[in-house]
Amino acid sequence: MIENFSAKLVLFIFLNLILSFACADKKEPIKKSDLEIKMDKIAEEYVKLALNIGKYDKDFIDAYYGPPDWKPADDTIVFNNSVYELLNAKADSLLDEMESLGVYNATESEKLRYRYLYKQLLACKTKIFMLNGVTLSFEEEAEALYDCEVPELNEEFFMNTITELEKLLPGKGNITERLQKFKERFRIPEEKLNAVFEAAINECRERTLRNIQLPPNESFTVEYVKNKPWGAYNWYKGNFYSVIQVNTDLPIYIDRAIDLAAHEGYPGHHVYNSLLEWNLYRKNEWVEFSVYVLFSPQSLIAEGTANYGIDVAFPGNERIKFEKEVLFPLAGLSTREAELYYKVLALLKNLSYAGNEAARNFIDGKWSEQQTVEWLIKYNLRSKESAIKFLDFIKQYRTYVINYNVGQDIIKNYIERNGGTENNPKKRWELFKLLLSTPQTPGGLK
């Protein structure tokens, strides 16, 4: 049976109101050990619930390195009403247990843990609805899964940036064609891709190690793959080890070397997952951090820090300087038009939200596949091949696309609002490390 999601949104708002009071200080202190025991029990059940949901959506569990016997049996049961009722009842039971913890005193760390676990459970409940056939709007899904609101931008916003690009890249043909032709001058030859990427990784790691202590023996390997809907992916395996896959279906330009090395590796996903495992799962024994639920608020934090981490590692002009002095020569590229290239890239960042609008209208059923591709070509300035690939991503991951830009903006605003500005790199790294090592939710950072 498909439930009325409007009623569930009311429940969602109500539960979030409870959340704001649940860990408030009380007059009569109760032993912290009691709270720890109850939270640990709920956390274990959350992990098992998430793993069970993952049986019915292959993308739901991004990583798991907890007790092997917690994994459910690999049977062939299809998602049906009985499965729905069982999973939904479990989610409700755990949320009820979370609400009952409002009688406890809690430290700041425990409050963060509570909020994190609560929002992750709400995402699990939402996913259960969706598996049962509930159709959510773009806005509903983004809020329920990722704990955030997505600003809606019109064509005028994007046209202002496109007008500036027209001035930088004059010539024949439309701006999308001229941009693609211009970018081809900065394409990394496939035979040089590995050398360029390794140099970028080494630099990103060195800069990260100056500011963050990493777990012993952490490492990752890089694989080059094809026929994927994404550009790159970090598959975290536990024990501080990742496999990073880079998709070579589409051209990879010189700026993507640092983007991918930092985003997927240092100080991005590899560091984030390693620090969570090291600090929260192993040291604190918080078992909820043995699983990474992809469609959850954790992903907005993960993608946001991974994107913002590029600026943290390379403040000001340091990235441009390194790329021109090291990566351009390794790729066999001329630096003659490098300054123009970086000006173009800076403007293109303003168009990232055009991808959100494409997802919004496609998910809400307002645009066909063709209309979505045409929008991406016109306002995201993608090639047709790239636009089709991005649509494939939307089809598979839906509102997940917001985590990259909305997530980055939330992380950026939080860090800079608290003193982590470009002229205070020490504070910026300090706050960045805090976000990588503690339970955080998007709503808690606003």
Side-chain angles (χ1 to χ4, degrees), residues 204 232 255-272 292 298-315 319 348-349 352-353 356 382 390 393 400-413 415-416 428-429 432 435-436:
C204 290
D255 57 293
R256 290 290 286 158
I258 288 293
D259 281 352
L260 295 177
H263 182 100
E264 305 297 342
Y266 307 100
H269 290 322
H270 175 67
V271 173
Y272 174 70
Y292 180 173
Q298 182 179 7
S299 280
L300 189 139
I301 301 296
E303 301 294 358
T305 52
N307 269 355
Y308 187 65
I310 300 169
D311 292 333
V312 176
F314 294 88
R319 173 179 175 174
L348 286 176
K349 287 183 178 180
S352 71
Y353 274 80
N356 294 1
R382 291 178 176 269
F390 191 82
F393 187 95
Y400 193 92
V401 298
I402 70 167
N403 291 323
Y404 300 99
N405 44 36
V406 176
Q408 180 176 355
D409 287 344
I410 288 175
I411 297 299
K412 178 180 186 292
N413 292 338
I415 288 180
E416 296 185 0
R428 178 182 274 187
W429 273 107
F432 186 75
L435 296 184
L436 297 183

Side-chain angles (χ1 to χ4, degrees), residues 5 12 49-50 52-61 79 84 87-88 91 119-136 140-141 144-146 293-296 395-399:
F5 199 75
F12 182 86
L49 172 65
N52 270 296
I53 296 172
K55 291 173 57 177
Y56 307 100
D57 183 337
K58 63 182 179 63
D59 295 319
F60 190 67
I61 301 299
F79 193 91
Y84 164 74
L87 294 178
N88 192 49
K119 293 294 179 73
Q120 293 293 115
L121 281 166
L122 286 174
C124 285
K125 185 172 177 65
T126 301
K127 187 60 182 179
I128 294 168
F129 288 156
M130 295 173 70
L131 286 170
N132 200 46
V134 171
T135 300
L136 306 184
E140 290 171 338
E141 187 177 316
L145 291 181
Y146 305 114
V293 173
L294 189 67
F295 304 116
S296 73
K395 289 178 183 177
Q396 183 164 344
Y397 298 103
R398 295 177 59 84
T399 53

Side-chain angles (χ1 to χ4, degrees), residues 120-398:
Q120 293 293 115
L121 281 166
L122 286 174
C124 285
K125 185 172 177 65
T126 301
K127 187 60 182 179
I128 294 168
F129 288 156
M130 295 173 70
L131 286 170
N132 200 46
V134 171
T135 300
L136 306 184
S137 70
F138 176 88
E139 289 290 345
E140 290 171 338
E141 187 177 316
E143 183 175 356
L145 291 181
Y146 305 114
D147 189 31
C148 73
E149 296 178 357
V150 185
E152 187 171 0
L153 301 172
N154 57 29
E155 296 179 31
E156 183 180 358
F157 174 86
F158 303 113
M159 281 306 303
N160 290 334
T161 293
I162 291 172
T163 299
E164 292 300 311
L165 284 168
E166 291 267 12
K167 297 175 183 176
L168 287 178
L169 301 174
K172 297 180 180 180
N174 62 49
I175 183 59
T176 300
E177 293 170 347
R178 300 202 306 271
L179 173 63
Q180 298 306 318
K181 185 177 180 180
F182 175 71
K183 288 173 67 176
E184 277 299 308
R185 302 172 197 171
F186 303 91
R187 180 175 183 171
I188 304 173
E190 191 165 346
E191 68 274 13
K192 297 184 178 181
L193 183 59
N194 190 58
V196 173
F197 196 36
E198 281 189 1
I201 290 171
N202 291 336
E203 182 69 15
C204 290
R205 186 174 191 274
E206 182 180 335
R207 288 169 176 262
T208 300
L209 285 173
R210 291 178 204 161
N211 298 278
I212 296 178
Q213 181 183 2
L214 297 180
N217 303 317
E218 59 77 25
S219 66
F220 62 75
T221 56
V222 179
E223 299 175 353
Y224 297 93
V225 298
K226 291 185 177 293
N227 301 317
K228 303 294 182 182
W230 33 257
Y233 209 114
N234 179 301
W235 302 99
Y236 189 69
K237 303 299 185 179
N239 292 315
F240 320 128
Y241 173 70
S242 299
V243 173
I244 295 176
Q245 292 185 328
V246 178
N247 187 5
T248 59
D249 284 347
L250 298 176
I252 297 179
Y253 304 107
I254 192 66
D255 57 293
R256 290 290 286 158
I258 288 293
D259 281 352
L260 295 177
H263 182 100
E264 305 297 342
Y266 307 100
H269 290 322
H270 175 67
V271 173
Y272 174 70
N273 287 316
S274 295
L275 290 181
L276 289 184
E277 179 181 359
W278 197 26
N279 292 316
L280 301 186
Y281 179 52
R282 293 185 181 273
K283 293 180 181 179
N284 286 6
E285 297 184 342
W286 290 356
V287 296
E288 63 268 38
F289 290 96
S290 66
V291 68
Y292 180 173
V293 173
L294 189 67
F295 304 116
S296 73
Q298 182 179 7
S299 280
L300 189 139
I301 301 296
E303 301 294 358
T305 52
N307 269 355
Y308 187 65
I310 300 169
D311 292 333
V312 176
F314 294 88
N317 293 321
E318 291 185 22
R319 173 179 175 174
I320 296 173
K321 183 175 184 295
F322 173 75
E323 289 181 350
K324 288 174 64 176
E325 293 178 356
V326 179
L327 300 189
F328 271 72
L330 278 175
L333 300 177
S334 169
T335 61
R336 186 171 59 86
E337 294 182 296
E339 298 303 325
L340 175 59
Y341 183 60
Y342 293 120
K343 288 180 182 178
V344 170
L345 292 179
L347 283 173
L348 286 176
K349 287 183 178 180
N350 296 334
L351 301 181
S352 71
Y353 274 80
N356 294 1
E357 295 310 312
R360 184 196 306 274
N361 286 280
F362 181 76
I363 289 171
D364 288 346
K366 296 179 181 178
W367 291 352
S368 66
E369 291 188 15
Q370 181 178 344
Q371 288 173 308
T372 305
V373 168
E374 289 173 352
W375 167 274
L376 289 167
I377 293 172
K378 184 176 181 179
Y379 294 108
N380 208 206
L381 299 189
R382 291 178 176 269
S383 66
K384 184 175 181 179
E385 187 181 13
S386 176
I388 292 172
K389 182 72 70 174
F390 191 82
L391 177 58
D392 287 342
F393 187 95
I394 294 172
K395 289 178 183 177
Q396 183 164 344
Y397 298 103
R398 295 177 59 84

